[in-house]
Amino acid sequence: MAGAVFRLPGVAYITGAGGTGIGAAVAKAFARSGCSRIAITDINKKSLESTRDAILEINPRAQITSRDGDISDEGFVDSLVAGISKSFARLDYAVNCAGILGENLRSHETKTSAFDLITKVNYKGTWLSSRAALSQMLQQQPLSEHPRQRGAVVNIASQLGVVARPNAAAYCASKSAIINMTRSDAIDYSQDEIRVNCVCPGVIETPMTTGSEEVTERLKPAIDIAPMRRMGTPEEIADAVLFLCSPQASFIQGHALVVDGGYTIN
């Protein structure tokens, strides 16, 4: 069960938190780890409500800020994080999970609008959300439980930010951008006692990867290549995220933690 090992007081903020994907698993893992003030967002209002209900089942006394919207919209993101600051007066953990996959096309077949959408959601959306969180973290002092950490940001990239695969140039580029953005921010905010890392999941069993027969078939070769020969679970990614947010990871900075069943080594 994700989140049972770490004790994480304070305030957590998770994007892409609707439904049964990585973001929802991360939000529930924070609740299991003693984090009772949680802010969640997703573009799908109904699925976001299901995550809110799941958090309250874990901790009926949890304080939850839940707001649906588009994380590639600067005004929405800034307003959301300002609301978190107003409600909770701080922000200790920001986990940027929102992302989209895109179509299975080579570059000459890909429309500019499709490229722009992937880049806008995956890269720009992560940057906007991370930027807003960092701005809030700079205004606060570390928790007594985390005396060397003013805040922790974890961005969700992908194994395809480390290695490439056919017919996914825009997606691979967007996830690679997140990895190097993470590294640059890690350098910039070390002096402020803010840690910035990312997780690079392999093929994870989520609605995005199992929602259609075409996508499932597209991802099958990646599963077959990985030595563990299976999809990962959202909870396995949540465990990695919570570790990077925890005091146990206090000297880990600018790292891209690959959680892919061995895909990138094979």
Side-chain angles (χ1 to χ4, degrees):
M1 179 181 292
V5 176
F6 308 107
R7 303 307 299 170
L8 295 167
V11 180
Y13 160 54
I14 304 101
T15 73
T20 58
I22 292 171
V26 169
K28 289 181 279 188
F30 269 111
R32 294 189 189 99
S33 296
C35 187
S36 60
R37 292 173 289 171
I38 301 173
I40 54 175
T41 187
D42 195 275
I43 201 165
N44 186 314
K45 183 177 182 178
K46 186 176 181 180
S47 67
L48 191 62
E49 289 172 352
S50 72
T51 301
R52 178 188 176 90
D53 292 343
I55 293 170
L56 289 172
E57 283 185 18
I58 296 166
N59 179 4
R61 296 199 290 182
Q63 300 175 56
I64 305 170
T65 292
S66 174
R67 185 173 168 189
D68 59 290
D70 180 0
I71 54 100
S72 70
D73 180 332
E74 181 178 8
F76 169 75
V77 171
D78 289 348
S79 172
L80 173 62
V81 175
I84 296 169
S85 177
K86 184 177 180 180
S87 297
F88 300 136
R90 63 182 301 116
L91 175 54
D92 298 286
Y93 323 100
V95 185
N96 300 305
C97 299
I100 58 174
L101 190 57
E103 295 182 88
N104 193 44
L105 299 169
R106 293 189 292 171
S107 283
H108 77 281
E109 302 166 321
T110 303
K111 294 180 179 178
T112 304
S113 58
F115 175 89
D116 287 344
L117 179 61
I118 291 172
T119 304
K120 185 173 73 169
V121 174
N122 292 0
Y123 176 35
K124 180 186 176 185
T126 298
W127 179 75
L128 286 171
S129 184
S130 179
R131 181 184 68 162
L134 288 164
S135 296
Q136 167 56 38
M137 290 173 180
L138 287 169
Q139 301 175 43
Q140 64 197 30
Q141 294 302 312
L143 292 168
S144 59
E145 296 90 343
H146 295 189
R148 294 182 176 178
Q149 177 173 300
R150 192 180 302 233
V153 176
V154 178
N155 300 313
I156 300 300
S158 170
Q159 65 182 16
L160 296 183
V162 180
V163 297
R165 76 159 177 81
N167 302 324
Y171 180 83
C172 292
S174 71
K175 293 299 185 176
S176 182
I178 290 171
I179 293 173
N180 245 18
M181 179 194 77
T182 296
R183 290 168 175 160
S184 183
D185 278 344
I187 296 168
D188 287 340
Y189 295 97
S190 288
Q191 63 187 336
D192 303 298
E193 298 181 306
I194 298 172
R195 293 189 304 104
V196 187
N197 293 286
C198 66
V199 173
C200 302
V203 181
I204 306 301
E205 192 173 351
T206 70
M208 189 169 73
T209 60
T210 61
S212 75
E213 187 175 335
E214 184 274 326
V215 172
T216 302
E217 194 63 28
R218 187 199 316 177
L219 297 174
K220 187 177 184 301
I223 298 168
D224 293 340
I225 289 170
M228 295 184 77
R229 296 182 67 83
R230 67 171 176 86
M231 287 188 180
T233 68
E235 290 73 24
E236 288 172 314
I237 304 304
D239 283 335
V241 168
L242 263 64
F243 166 67
L244 289 175
C245 288
S246 75
Q248 285 92 330
S250 59
F251 201 51
I252 299 177
Q253 180 71 307
H255 185 59
L257 178 57
V258 179
V259 187
D260 68 349
Y263 176 88
T264 56
I265 64 169
N266 207 36

